[in-house]
Amino acid sequence: MKTTTLIAALGLALLPAAAALADHEHADPKMEHAEHMAAHAAASYEIGALRIETPFARASLPNQPVGGGFFTVTNTGTGDDRLIAAGTSPEQADRTEIHEMSMDGQVMKMRQLADGLPIPAGATVELKPGGYHLMMMGLKQPLVEGETVTVWLTFEKAGTIEIPLAIGAPNAKDGGQGHMTHGN
């Protein structure tokens, strides 16, 4: 009788652990990806008076030769700064440029910002799809959803910093998990 009671008690004690393990094994991969993206979206990086937040990239499609990188940079200082260069590893892309998309009449045009992107004192500049962005040219490997790609950013006054871009869906609109869904 004591053996049966002990076995039953041990079984009841292990149930929560078994349930937790079962939940982990059957976790929704999309939920894990959303948690991954949310963790990166909450990340903040600082260099000098600049704070960089919500860094992300979009997954590339098969044979896509370019990929976009996005983030928000806030200049908390009293002097203007400028994003003058960006890059990633040579194994990832040939080069990275700073681009702007804007309407010219009825036509959306994209151009490289040869003089960089001004980050005025006290201002927040958003690099986002359809606006300012990083363009990784000559991708040598795809940008895979759920992974990260590290880029370096050089600012005229603050210096250089490396940040990871969480790779979202090919149509991701921002680094937050609420907009990282498939099929939007």
Side-chain angles (χ1 to χ4, degrees):
M1 182 69 166
K2 286 185 178 180
T3 304
T4 305
T5 303
L6 181 60
I7 291 172
L10 186 58
L12 288 174
L14 294 175
L15 275 176
L21 180 60
D23 287 345
H24 179 73
E25 290 176 353
H26 295 103
D28 182 353
K30 289 181 183 176
M31 180 58 81
E32 289 179 9
H33 174 65
E35 291 170 0
H36 169 80
M37 294 302 296
H40 280 277
S44 178
Y45 305 89
E46 293 189 12
I47 181 168
L50 303 178
R51 186 176 57 244
I52 300 163
E53 299 172 298
T54 62
F56 76 101
R58 287 178 161 176
S60 58
L61 300 174
N63 300 317
Q64 182 177 334
V66 297
F70 315 95
F71 55 88
T72 299
V73 58
T74 300
N75 185 346
T76 62
T78 55
D80 295 345
D81 208 333
R82 178 178 298 268
L83 176 62
I84 55 173
T88 188
S89 73
E91 293 80 23
Q92 183 65 55
D94 289 333
R95 67 185 186 282
T96 301
E97 298 177 351
I98 305 163
H99 281 197
E100 172 188 38
M101 291 188 73
S102 61
M103 292 300 291
D104 183 9
Q106 298 294 322
V107 179
M108 177 69 84
K109 292 191 171 186
M110 182 170 58
R111 69 180 181 99
Q112 181 181 7
L113 297 175
D115 295 329
L117 176 63
I119 314 293
T124 296
V125 176
E126 189 176 10
L127 285 78
K128 62 182 183 180
Y132 300 121
H133 60 277
L134 300 181
M135 182 65 76
M136 291 171 266
M137 313 287 281
L139 288 178
K140 295 181 177 173
Q141 54 184 299
L143 298 174
V144 178
E145 185 175 355
E147 296 184 358
T148 59
V149 58
T150 300
V151 297
W152 54 263
L153 309 170
T154 298
F155 295 91
E156 193 172 60
K157 294 179 181 168
T160 300
I161 185 171
E162 284 190 359
I163 61 169
L165 304 178
I167 302 173
N171 61 350
K173 295 179 180 128
D174 62 38
Q177 73 179 67
H179 299 282
M180 301 304 290
T181 58
H182 300 268
N184 285 344

